[in-house]
Amino acid sequence: MRGRERERAEVLRLLAGAPGPGAHVLLVEGEPGIGKSILLAEAAAAASALGTGVATGRADELERMMPLAPLLSALEETTTRAAVARSAFPGGPGLLMWLAERVSTTLERRAAAGPLLVALDDLQWADPVTLMALRTLPSRLAGHPLAWLLARRATGDDDGERLFGLLEQEGATRIALRPLDGAAVARVAADALGAVPDAELTALAAQAAGNPALLLALLTGLREEGVVRVDTGVARPANAAGPAGESAPAGAGRTAGAGEAGETGEAGGCGRAEATAGFAGTGAVAGTLPRRLHAAVRRRLEEVSPRTRHLLEAVAVLGRSFCPSYAAELLGEPPAALLPALDEALAAGLLVVTPEELAFRHELLWRSVLETVPAPVRQALRRQAERVPPPDAPVAAALIAWDEGRLSRGLELAREAAEPPPGTPGPSGRRDPQPRAVLAAMLIDLGSRFPVPLPS
Protein backbone atom coordinates (compact mmCIF):
# COMPACT_ATOMS: atom_id res chain seq x y z
CA MET A 1 0.00 0.00 0.00
CA ARG A 2 1.50 3.28 -1.13
CA GLY A 3 1.27 6.22 1.23
CA ARG A 4 -0.02 4.20 4.20
CA GLU A 5 3.15 3.84 6.26
CA ARG A 6 1.61 5.33 9.41
CA GLU A 7 -1.48 3.14 9.19
CA ARG A 8 0.63 0.03 8.57
CA ALA A 9 2.67 0.87 11.66
CA GLU A 10 -0.55 1.06 13.72
CA VAL A 11 -1.57 -2.39 12.47
CA LEU A 12 1.80 -3.87 13.42
CA ARG A 13 1.55 -2.24 16.84
CA LEU A 14 -1.89 -3.80 17.29
CA LEU A 15 -0.62 -7.27 16.36
CA ALA A 16 2.40 -6.92 18.62
CA GLY A 17 0.19 -6.18 21.60
CA ALA A 18 -2.34 -8.94 20.94
CA PRO A 19 -0.61 -11.61 23.09
CA GLY A 20 -0.62 -9.32 26.13
CA PRO A 21 -3.53 -8.52 28.47
CA GLY A 22 -6.00 -5.71 27.81
CA ALA A 23 -8.38 -4.71 25.05
CA HIS A 24 -6.49 -4.17 21.79
CA VAL A 25 -8.75 -2.33 19.35
CA LEU A 26 -7.89 -0.42 16.17
CA LEU A 27 -10.69 1.54 14.48
CA VAL A 28 -10.36 2.46 10.79
CA GLU A 29 -12.66 4.78 8.88
CA GLY A 30 -12.68 6.70 5.63
CA GLU A 31 -14.57 7.45 2.44
CA PRO A 32 -15.50 4.68 -0.03
CA GLY A 33 -12.54 3.42 -2.04
CA ILE A 34 -9.94 4.95 0.25
CA GLY A 35 -8.26 1.61 1.07
CA LYS A 36 -9.90 0.26 4.23
CA SER A 37 -10.44 -3.24 2.84
CA ILE A 38 -6.89 -3.43 1.51
CA LEU A 39 -5.53 -2.39 4.91
CA LEU A 40 -7.56 -5.14 6.59
CA ALA A 41 -6.35 -7.71 4.05
CA GLU A 42 -2.74 -6.71 4.67
CA ALA A 43 -3.32 -6.89 8.41
CA ALA A 44 -4.67 -10.43 8.04
CA ALA A 45 -1.64 -11.42 5.96
CA ALA A 46 0.74 -9.88 8.51
CA ALA A 47 -1.04 -11.67 11.37
CA SER A 48 -0.78 -15.01 9.59
CA ALA A 49 2.94 -14.43 9.01
CA LEU A 50 3.35 -13.85 12.75
CA GLY A 51 1.49 -17.05 13.62
CA THR A 52 -1.57 -15.15 14.86
CA GLY A 53 -4.96 -16.65 14.08
CA VAL A 54 -7.25 -14.63 11.86
CA ALA A 55 -11.04 -14.33 11.80
CA THR A 56 -12.25 -12.00 9.02
CA GLY A 57 -15.79 -10.95 8.21
CA ARG A 58 -17.72 -8.08 6.72
CA ALA A 59 -21.16 -6.61 7.06
CA ASP A 60 -23.42 -6.74 4.05
CA GLU A 61 -26.25 -4.35 3.34
CA LEU A 62 -28.49 -7.27 2.36
CA GLU A 63 -27.78 -9.16 5.61
CA ARG A 64 -28.86 -6.45 8.01
CA MET A 65 -31.84 -8.54 9.02
CA MET A 66 -29.56 -11.38 10.13
CA PRO A 67 -28.25 -10.66 13.64
CA LEU A 68 -24.51 -11.01 14.26
CA ALA A 69 -23.90 -11.96 10.62
CA PRO A 70 -20.38 -10.40 10.40
CA LEU A 71 -19.16 -12.12 13.56
CA LEU A 72 -20.77 -15.44 12.70
CA SER A 73 -19.18 -15.29 9.27
CA ALA A 74 -15.77 -14.45 10.72
CA LEU A 75 -15.99 -17.37 13.13
CA GLU A 76 -17.30 -19.67 10.37
CA GLU A 77 -20.43 -20.49 12.31
CA THR A 78 -22.30 -21.52 9.17
CA THR A 79 -24.77 -23.88 10.79
CA THR A 80 -25.68 -21.25 13.35
CA ARG A 81 -26.30 -18.72 10.59
CA ALA A 82 -28.67 -21.15 8.89
CA ALA A 83 -30.51 -21.67 12.17
CA VAL A 84 -30.88 -17.91 12.56
CA ALA A 85 -32.37 -17.61 9.08
CA ARG A 86 -35.03 -20.23 9.94
CA SER A 87 -35.89 -18.86 13.37
CA ALA A 88 -39.37 -17.50 14.06
CA PHE A 89 -39.98 -14.23 15.88
CA PRO A 90 -41.34 -15.64 19.20
CA GLY A 91 -37.94 -17.13 20.01
CA GLY A 92 -36.16 -13.94 18.93
CA PRO A 93 -34.96 -12.41 22.23
CA GLY A 94 -33.82 -15.70 23.68
CA LEU A 95 -32.18 -16.65 20.41
CA LEU A 96 -30.23 -13.38 20.31
CA MET A 97 -28.88 -13.92 23.81
CA TRP A 98 -27.90 -17.47 22.87
CA LEU A 99 -26.16 -16.29 19.72
CA ALA A 100 -24.23 -13.59 21.57
CA GLU A 101 -23.07 -16.13 24.13
CA ARG A 102 -22.14 -18.53 21.33
CA VAL A 103 -19.95 -15.86 19.71
CA SER A 104 -18.26 -15.05 23.00
CA THR A 105 -17.60 -18.73 23.76
CA THR A 106 -16.20 -19.36 20.28
CA LEU A 107 -13.86 -16.37 20.58
CA GLU A 108 -12.61 -17.61 23.95
CA ARG A 109 -11.99 -21.07 22.52
CA ARG A 110 -10.16 -19.73 19.47
CA ALA A 111 -8.04 -17.36 21.60
CA ALA A 112 -7.15 -20.20 24.00
CA ALA A 113 -5.21 -21.79 21.14
CA GLY A 114 -3.17 -18.64 20.57
CA PRO A 115 -3.43 -14.92 19.70
CA LEU A 116 -6.35 -14.08 17.42
CA LEU A 117 -7.05 -11.10 15.16
CA VAL A 118 -10.73 -10.34 14.52
CA ALA A 119 -11.01 -8.09 11.46
CA LEU A 120 -14.47 -6.83 10.48
CA ASP A 121 -15.11 -4.60 7.48
CA ASP A 122 -18.00 -2.42 6.23
CA LEU A 123 -19.51 -1.96 9.67
CA GLN A 124 -21.59 0.95 8.37
CA TRP A 125 -23.97 -1.86 7.30
CA ALA A 126 -23.78 -3.88 10.51
CA ASP A 127 -27.02 -4.93 12.19
CA PRO A 128 -27.82 -3.51 15.66
CA VAL A 129 -27.04 -6.79 17.44
CA THR A 130 -23.54 -6.88 15.92
CA LEU A 131 -22.91 -3.29 17.03
CA MET A 132 -24.12 -4.13 20.53
CA ALA A 133 -21.82 -7.16 20.67
CA LEU A 134 -18.83 -5.12 19.52
CA ARG A 135 -19.63 -2.58 22.20
CA THR A 136 -19.07 -5.18 24.96
CA LEU A 137 -16.90 -8.02 23.64
CA PRO A 138 -13.51 -6.21 23.54
CA SER A 139 -13.68 -5.25 27.22
CA ARG A 140 -15.38 -8.48 28.26
CA LEU A 141 -12.62 -10.58 26.64
CA ALA A 142 -9.75 -8.27 27.57
CA GLY A 143 -8.05 -11.09 29.45
CA HIS A 144 -7.61 -13.12 26.27
CA PRO A 145 -4.98 -12.65 23.50
CA LEU A 146 -7.41 -10.93 21.15
CA ALA A 147 -6.92 -7.99 18.76
CA TRP A 148 -9.82 -6.21 17.09
CA LEU A 149 -9.56 -4.38 13.75
CA LEU A 150 -12.87 -2.71 12.87
CA ALA A 151 -13.52 -0.64 9.72
CA ARG A 152 -16.41 1.48 8.52
CA ARG A 153 -17.21 4.23 6.10
CA ALA A 154 -17.24 7.68 7.60
CA THR A 155 -20.90 8.43 6.93
CA GLY A 156 -21.59 10.90 9.71
CA ASP A 157 -23.73 10.57 12.80
CA ASP A 158 -25.05 6.99 12.93
CA ASP A 159 -24.88 3.95 15.18
CA GLY A 160 -21.47 2.97 13.81
CA GLU A 161 -20.11 6.40 14.64
CA ARG A 162 -21.45 6.15 18.17
CA LEU A 163 -19.87 2.70 18.58
CA PHE A 164 -16.49 3.99 17.43
CA GLY A 165 -16.77 6.98 19.74
CA LEU A 166 -17.49 4.80 22.78
CA LEU A 167 -14.67 2.36 21.98
CA GLU A 168 -12.28 5.27 21.50
CA GLN A 169 -13.24 6.62 24.92
CA GLU A 170 -12.31 3.24 26.40
CA GLY A 171 -8.83 3.35 24.86
CA ALA A 172 -9.19 2.16 21.27
CA THR A 173 -6.92 3.72 18.65
CA ARG A 174 -8.84 5.46 15.87
CA ILE A 175 -7.37 6.35 12.48
CA ALA A 176 -8.97 8.01 9.47
CA LEU A 177 -7.62 7.09 6.06
CA ARG A 178 -7.00 10.31 4.15
CA PRO A 179 -6.64 10.78 0.39
CA LEU A 180 -3.20 9.88 -0.94
CA ASP A 181 -0.81 12.79 -1.29
CA GLY A 182 0.81 13.74 -4.58
CA ALA A 183 3.91 11.62 -4.02
CA ALA A 184 1.86 8.51 -3.21
CA VAL A 185 -0.39 9.11 -6.24
CA ALA A 186 2.70 9.31 -8.46
CA ARG A 187 3.99 6.00 -7.07
CA VAL A 188 0.62 4.29 -7.55
CA ALA A 189 0.45 5.62 -11.10
CA ALA A 190 3.94 4.33 -11.86
CA ASP A 191 2.99 0.92 -10.45
CA ALA A 192 -0.23 0.74 -12.47
CA LEU A 193 1.27 1.98 -15.75
CA GLY A 194 4.64 0.27 -15.47
CA ALA A 195 6.47 3.57 -15.94
CA VAL A 196 6.57 7.13 -14.65
CA PRO A 197 3.53 9.04 -16.00
CA ASP A 198 4.09 12.15 -18.10
CA ALA A 199 2.58 15.53 -17.18
CA GLU A 200 -0.70 14.88 -18.98
CA LEU A 201 -1.35 11.53 -17.30
CA THR A 202 -0.26 13.00 -13.96
CA ALA A 203 -2.86 15.75 -14.34
CA LEU A 204 -5.51 13.19 -15.24
CA ALA A 205 -4.60 11.04 -12.21
CA ALA A 206 -5.01 14.11 -10.00
CA GLN A 207 -8.73 14.09 -10.83
CA ALA A 208 -9.09 11.06 -8.54
CA ALA A 209 -8.26 13.39 -5.63
CA GLY A 210 -6.13 10.74 -3.95
CA ASN A 211 -8.82 8.04 -3.90
CA PRO A 212 -6.95 4.75 -4.58
CA ALA A 213 -9.94 2.84 -5.97
CA LEU A 214 -10.83 5.52 -8.53
CA LEU A 215 -7.17 6.08 -9.37
CA LEU A 216 -6.50 2.40 -10.07
CA ALA A 217 -9.74 2.00 -12.03
CA LEU A 218 -8.76 4.95 -14.20
CA LEU A 219 -5.15 3.97 -14.87
CA THR A 220 -5.77 0.25 -15.27
CA GLY A 221 -8.65 1.01 -17.61
CA LEU A 222 -6.53 3.33 -19.76
CA ARG A 223 -3.85 0.66 -20.04
CA GLU A 224 -6.37 -2.08 -20.87
CA GLU A 225 -7.89 0.02 -23.64
CA GLY A 226 -4.54 0.79 -25.23
CA VAL A 227 -4.62 4.50 -24.49
CA VAL A 228 -1.19 4.51 -22.82
CA ARG A 229 2.23 3.59 -24.23
CA VAL A 230 5.65 3.57 -22.63
CA ASP A 231 8.62 5.33 -24.23
CA THR A 232 12.06 5.49 -22.62
CA GLY A 233 10.64 4.75 -19.18
CA VAL A 234 7.82 7.32 -19.41
CA ALA A 235 4.12 6.50 -19.76
CA ARG A 236 2.31 8.86 -22.08
CA PRO A 237 -0.94 8.92 -24.10
CA ALA A 238 -0.73 6.55 -27.04
CA ASN A 239 -1.39 9.32 -29.57
CA ALA A 240 0.91 11.85 -27.98
CA ALA A 241 4.24 12.88 -29.44
CA GLY A 242 7.18 10.78 -28.27
CA PRO A 243 10.45 12.06 -26.86
CA ALA A 244 11.74 12.81 -30.36
CA GLY A 245 8.56 14.63 -31.31
CA GLU A 246 7.15 11.72 -33.34
CA SER A 247 3.50 10.87 -32.93
CA ALA A 248 2.21 7.37 -32.48
CA PRO A 249 0.89 5.60 -35.58
CA ALA A 250 -2.53 6.68 -36.78
CA GLY A 251 -5.28 4.84 -34.99
CA ALA A 252 -3.25 4.03 -31.88
CA GLY A 253 -5.39 4.31 -28.78
CA ARG A 254 -8.77 5.99 -28.74
CA THR A 255 -9.83 8.98 -30.73
CA ALA A 256 -9.33 12.16 -28.78
CA GLY A 257 -12.36 14.27 -28.14
CA ALA A 258 -14.80 11.38 -28.07
CA GLY A 259 -16.63 13.10 -25.25
CA GLU A 260 -18.96 16.02 -25.79
CA ALA A 261 -17.08 19.29 -25.57
CA GLY A 262 -18.37 22.19 -23.63
CA GLU A 263 -19.50 20.83 -20.29
CA THR A 264 -19.36 23.05 -17.26
CA GLY A 265 -16.79 22.58 -14.53
CA GLU A 266 -16.64 24.04 -11.08
CA ALA A 267 -19.34 26.47 -10.13
CA GLY A 268 -18.31 29.90 -8.95
CA GLY A 269 -20.86 30.78 -6.30
CA CYS A 270 -24.35 29.35 -5.92
CA GLY A 271 -25.61 28.67 -9.40
CA ARG A 272 -22.83 30.45 -11.30
CA ALA A 273 -21.29 27.85 -13.53
CA GLU A 274 -17.85 28.62 -14.87
CA ALA A 275 -17.39 26.98 -18.24
CA THR A 276 -14.35 24.89 -19.01
CA ALA A 277 -12.94 23.85 -22.36
CA GLY A 278 -14.42 20.36 -22.41
CA PHE A 279 -15.34 18.24 -19.44
CA ALA A 280 -13.18 15.26 -20.34
CA GLY A 281 -9.76 16.80 -19.93
CA THR A 282 -7.40 18.14 -22.54
CA GLY A 283 -4.77 16.84 -24.89
CA ALA A 284 -4.32 13.30 -26.10
CA VAL A 285 -6.33 11.61 -23.34
CA ALA A 286 -9.38 13.81 -23.79
CA GLY A 287 -12.58 11.89 -24.46
CA THR A 288 -14.61 9.32 -22.63
CA LEU A 289 -13.33 7.66 -19.51
CA PRO A 290 -12.34 3.96 -19.54
CA ARG A 291 -15.00 1.31 -19.06
CA ARG A 292 -13.36 0.00 -15.90
CA LEU A 293 -13.82 3.37 -14.20
CA HIS A 294 -17.45 3.60 -15.32
CA ALA A 295 -18.05 0.13 -13.83
CA ALA A 296 -16.51 1.20 -10.51
CA VAL A 297 -18.70 4.31 -10.37
CA ARG A 298 -21.77 2.33 -11.39
CA ARG A 299 -21.23 0.01 -8.41
CA ARG A 300 -21.16 3.06 -6.15
CA LEU A 301 -24.38 4.41 -7.65
CA GLU A 302 -26.13 1.07 -7.18
CA GLU A 303 -25.85 1.59 -3.43
CA VAL A 304 -28.38 4.43 -3.55
CA SER A 305 -32.03 4.53 -4.59
CA PRO A 306 -33.09 5.04 -8.22
CA ARG A 307 -34.43 8.51 -7.36
CA THR A 308 -31.06 9.56 -5.97
CA ARG A 309 -29.27 8.18 -9.03
CA HIS A 310 -31.58 10.12 -11.33
CA LEU A 311 -31.02 13.28 -9.31
CA LEU A 312 -27.25 12.91 -9.59
CA GLU A 313 -27.46 12.36 -13.34
CA ALA A 314 -29.60 15.48 -13.77
CA VAL A 315 -27.50 17.81 -11.62
CA ALA A 316 -24.27 16.59 -13.21
CA VAL A 317 -25.05 18.81 -16.21
CA LEU A 318 -24.81 21.84 -13.90
CA GLY A 319 -21.14 21.16 -13.19
CA ARG A 320 -19.19 19.38 -10.52
CA SER A 321 -20.73 21.66 -7.90
CA PHE A 322 -24.23 23.02 -7.91
CA CYS A 323 -26.70 25.05 -5.91
CA PRO A 324 -29.58 22.96 -4.48
CA SER A 325 -32.11 25.69 -5.30
CA TYR A 326 -30.91 25.74 -8.91
CA ALA A 327 -31.20 21.93 -9.05
CA ALA A 328 -34.75 22.17 -7.72
CA GLU A 329 -35.64 24.70 -10.43
CA LEU A 330 -34.12 22.47 -13.08
CA LEU A 331 -36.18 19.49 -11.89
CA GLY A 332 -39.36 21.51 -11.35
CA GLU A 333 -39.62 20.58 -7.68
CA PRO A 334 -39.46 22.51 -4.40
CA PRO A 335 -36.05 22.29 -2.71
CA ALA A 336 -37.57 20.42 0.24
CA ALA A 337 -38.56 17.57 -2.09
CA LEU A 338 -34.89 16.96 -2.92
CA LEU A 339 -33.77 16.62 0.69
CA PRO A 340 -34.13 12.81 1.05
CA ALA A 341 -32.16 12.15 -2.15
CA LEU A 342 -29.50 14.73 -1.32
CA ASP A 343 -29.14 13.32 2.21
CA GLU A 344 -28.72 9.82 0.78
CA ALA A 345 -26.08 10.99 -1.70
CA LEU A 346 -24.18 12.78 1.07
CA ALA A 347 -24.36 9.74 3.37
CA ALA A 348 -23.07 7.50 0.54
CA GLY A 349 -20.07 9.77 0.03
CA LEU A 350 -21.11 10.72 -3.51
CA LEU A 351 -21.61 14.39 -2.66
CA VAL A 352 -19.87 16.68 -0.20
CA VAL A 353 -20.81 20.04 1.28
CA THR A 354 -18.81 23.10 0.24
CA PRO A 355 -19.17 26.57 1.81
CA GLU A 356 -21.78 27.66 -0.75
CA GLU A 357 -22.91 24.58 -2.64
CA LEU A 358 -22.97 20.80 -2.90
CA ALA A 359 -20.36 19.08 -5.03
CA PHE A 360 -19.50 15.65 -6.37
CA ARG A 361 -16.78 14.28 -4.12
CA HIS A 362 -14.32 13.61 -6.95
CA GLU A 363 -13.97 15.08 -10.41
CA LEU A 364 -13.70 11.59 -11.91
CA LEU A 365 -16.93 10.60 -10.18
CA TRP A 366 -18.70 13.62 -11.64
CA ARG A 367 -17.29 13.03 -15.11
CA SER A 368 -18.35 9.39 -15.07
CA VAL A 369 -21.89 10.22 -13.98
CA LEU A 370 -22.08 12.90 -16.67
CA GLU A 371 -20.86 10.55 -19.40
CA THR A 372 -23.53 7.98 -18.53
CA VAL A 373 -26.26 10.49 -19.43
CA PRO A 374 -27.08 10.01 -23.15
CA ALA A 375 -25.94 12.98 -25.22
CA PRO A 376 -29.46 14.01 -26.37
CA VAL A 377 -30.70 13.94 -22.76
CA ARG A 378 -27.65 15.88 -21.63
CA GLN A 379 -28.26 18.55 -24.25
CA ALA A 380 -31.94 18.79 -23.33
CA LEU A 381 -31.05 19.30 -19.68
CA ARG A 382 -28.51 21.94 -20.62
CA ARG A 383 -31.11 23.83 -22.66
CA GLN A 384 -33.54 23.60 -19.77
CA ALA A 385 -30.91 24.94 -17.39
CA GLU A 386 -30.40 27.86 -19.76
CA ARG A 387 -34.11 28.66 -19.73
CA VAL A 388 -34.39 28.65 -15.93
CA PRO A 389 -31.20 30.25 -14.59
CA PRO A 390 -31.23 31.13 -10.88
CA PRO A 391 -31.96 34.77 -10.10
CA ASP A 392 -28.52 35.41 -8.64
CA ALA A 393 -26.57 33.97 -11.60
CA PRO A 394 -27.59 35.72 -14.85
CA VAL A 395 -24.31 34.86 -16.58
CA ALA A 396 -24.67 31.09 -16.19
CA ALA A 397 -26.73 30.72 -19.36
CA ALA A 398 -24.29 32.93 -21.28
CA LEU A 399 -21.33 30.79 -20.23
CA ILE A 400 -23.13 27.57 -21.15
CA ALA A 401 -24.03 28.88 -24.62
CA TRP A 402 -20.49 30.18 -25.21
CA ASP A 403 -18.90 26.94 -24.09
CA GLU A 404 -21.16 25.00 -26.48
CA GLY A 405 -19.92 27.10 -29.39
CA ARG A 406 -23.07 29.20 -29.78
CA LEU A 407 -21.06 32.40 -29.70
CA SER A 408 -23.74 34.83 -30.86
CA ARG A 409 -26.20 33.58 -28.26
CA GLY A 410 -23.54 33.70 -25.57
CA LEU A 411 -22.68 37.32 -26.40
CA GLU A 412 -26.35 38.27 -26.47
CA LEU A 413 -26.99 36.79 -23.03
CA ALA A 414 -23.80 38.32 -21.60
CA ARG A 415 -24.82 41.78 -22.89
CA GLU A 416 -28.25 41.41 -21.31
CA ALA A 417 -26.63 40.49 -17.99
CA ALA A 418 -24.04 43.28 -18.21
CA GLU A 419 -26.57 45.97 -19.18
CA PRO A 420 -29.70 45.41 -17.04
CA PRO A 421 -32.61 47.86 -17.30
CA PRO A 422 -31.86 51.27 -15.76
CA GLY A 423 -32.33 51.33 -12.02
CA THR A 424 -31.94 47.57 -11.60
CA PRO A 425 -29.52 47.04 -8.66
CA GLY A 426 -27.19 44.13 -8.20
CA PRO A 427 -27.31 41.84 -5.17
CA SER A 428 -25.41 44.33 -3.02
CA GLY A 429 -27.36 47.43 -4.07
CA ARG A 430 -25.04 48.27 -6.97
CA ARG A 431 -24.46 46.76 -10.34
CA ASP A 432 -22.65 43.44 -10.29
CA PRO A 433 -19.29 43.76 -12.11
CA GLN A 434 -19.08 40.04 -12.92
CA PRO A 435 -21.29 40.09 -16.08
CA ARG A 436 -19.19 42.91 -17.54
CA ALA A 437 -15.99 40.99 -16.85
CA VAL A 438 -17.45 37.91 -18.51
CA LEU A 439 -18.55 39.94 -21.53
CA ALA A 440 -15.07 41.47 -21.83
CA ALA A 441 -13.48 38.02 -21.64
CA MET A 442 -15.81 36.78 -24.38
CA LEU A 443 -14.92 39.70 -26.65
CA ILE A 444 -11.20 39.08 -26.10
CA ASP A 445 -11.67 35.39 -26.85
CA LEU A 446 -13.65 36.25 -29.97
CA GLY A 447 -10.86 38.50 -31.16
CA SER A 448 -8.28 35.73 -30.69
CA ARG A 449 -10.44 33.26 -32.61
CA PHE A 450 -11.20 35.57 -35.52
CA PRO A 451 -8.42 38.16 -35.75
CA VAL A 452 -9.19 41.13 -37.99
CA PRO A 453 -6.17 42.19 -40.14
CA LEU A 454 -5.17 45.81 -39.74
CA PRO A 455 -5.39 47.97 -42.86
CA SER A 456 -2.05 48.50 -44.55
Side-chain angles (χ1 to χ4, degrees):
M1 293 182 66
R2 299 293 192 179
R4 299 297 187 210
E5 290 76 16
R6 183 180 70 85
E7 292 82 0
R8 187 182 293 110
E10 290 290 353
V11 168
L12 295 177
R13 188 176 299 112
L14 174 75
L15 296 176
H24 307 286
V25 184
L26 178 60
L27 310 172
V28 180
E29 57 190 359
E31 67 178 80
I34 203 65
K36 301 180 295 296
S37 298
I38 295 177
L39 182 64
L40 265 63
E42 289 205 356
S48 296
L50 294 172
T52 298
V54 177
T56 61
R58 65 187 323 129
D60 189 294
E61 191 173 15
L62 299 179
E63 289 189 341
R64 280 181 168 177
M65 299 301 294
M66 182 176 291
L68 293 170
L71 282 163
L72 294 172
S73 173
L75 298 173
E76 300 179 350
E77 292 287 324
T78 54
T79 56
T80 303
R81 296 180 74 196
V84 174
R86 292 194 301 268
S87 295
F89 175 74
L95 175 65
L96 293 182
M97 294 179 61
W98 179 81
L99 278 175
E101 191 61 34
R102 175 71 176 263
V103 167
S104 179
T105 302
T106 303
L107 285 170
E108 291 180 22
R109 185 180 70 250
R110 292 277 300 271
L116 176 66
L117 170 68
V118 180
L120 302 178
D121 199 3
D122 287 332
L123 290 178
Q124 73 276 359
W125 290 323
D127 61 279
V129 183
T130 295
L131 297 178
M132 181 181 66
L134 293 176
R135 171 69 184 90
T136 59
L137 284 173
S139 56
R140 178 179 174 182
L141 302 177
H144 297 76
L146 274 169
W148 299 83
L149 180 54
L150 311 178
R152 63 179 286 273
R153 288 184 187 177
T155 55
D157 186 19
D158 56 15
D159 290 338
E161 166 63 27
R162 285 186 279 276
L163 170 67
F164 273 36
L166 290 170
L167 292 176
E168 186 178 19
Q169 290 177 13
E170 294 178 354
T173 300
R174 186 172 182 172
I175 58 176
L177 296 186
R178 304 299 182 189
L180 300 178
D181 59 24
V185 167
R187 294 197 296 271
V188 171
D191 292 341
L193 298 173
V196 177
D198 71 350
E200 188 172 349
L201 289 175
T202 298
L204 185 62
Q207 294 182 15
N211 184 283
L214 288 179
L215 178 63
L216 286 173
L218 169 70
L219 298 175
T220 305
L222 291 175
R223 189 186 62 199
E224 290 173 345
E225 296 180 17
V227 182
V228 176
R229 63 190 174 98
V230 176
D231 282 322
T232 62
V234 177
R236 62 185 83 249
N239 53 349
E246 297 181 357
S247 297
R254 291 177 304 180
T255 302
E260 177 187 355
E263 302 293 342
T264 58
E266 299 289 346
C270 196
R272 287 180 174 168
E274 295 180 1
T276 63
F279 72 87
T282 58
V285 292
T288 56
L289 295 168
R291 291 183 293 273
R292 178 181 285 267
L293 179 66
H294 284 313
V297 172
R298 186 165 57 250
R299 287 192 294 272
R300 292 280 310 280
L301 294 177
E302 288 171 352
E303 296 176 1
V304 298
S305 65
R307 174 170 170 75
T308 299
R309 287 200 301 273
H310 296 155
L311 171 67
L312 294 172
E313 291 168 354
V315 300
V317 304
L318 302 178
R320 180 179 168 186
S321 59
F322 60 92
C323 181
S325 61
Y326 195 3
E329 278 197 79
L330 176 66
L331 298 173
E333 299 189 41
L338 303 185
L339 286 178
L342 292 174
D343 284 344
E344 185 180 20
L346 288 166
L350 298 168
L351 297 179
V352 293
V353 178
T354 69
E356 294 183 324
E357 302 181 314
L358 299 178
F360 286 84
R361 181 178 285 274
H362 306 99
E363 186 170 353
L364 284 179
L365 174 64
W366 164 62
R367 285 180 51 187
S368 179
V369 172
L370 188 61
E371 285 187 16
T372 62
V373 181
V377 178
R378 188 162 60 231
Q379 288 292 342
L381 289 169
R382 298 288 300 279
R383 299 293 192 275
Q384 183 178 349
E386 181 181 316
R387 289 194 298 270
V388 288
D392 62 339
V395 298
L399 288 168
I400 290 174
W402 186 268
D403 194 39
E404 289 180 341
R406 297 180 289 128
L407 306 185
S408 297
R409 179 59 174 162
L411 281 172
E412 178 185 357
L413 293 170
R415 283 197 184 96
E416 291 176 1
E419 300 173 2
T424 303
S428 60
R430 55 185 174 81
R431 294 197 172 188
D432 189 351
Q434 193 213 23
R436 297 187 179 187
V438 170
L439 177 60
M442 287 181 175
L443 293 173
I444 293 172
D445 183 36
L446 192 65
S448 64
R449 295 191 192 198
F450 307 102
V452 177
L454 294 175
S456 57

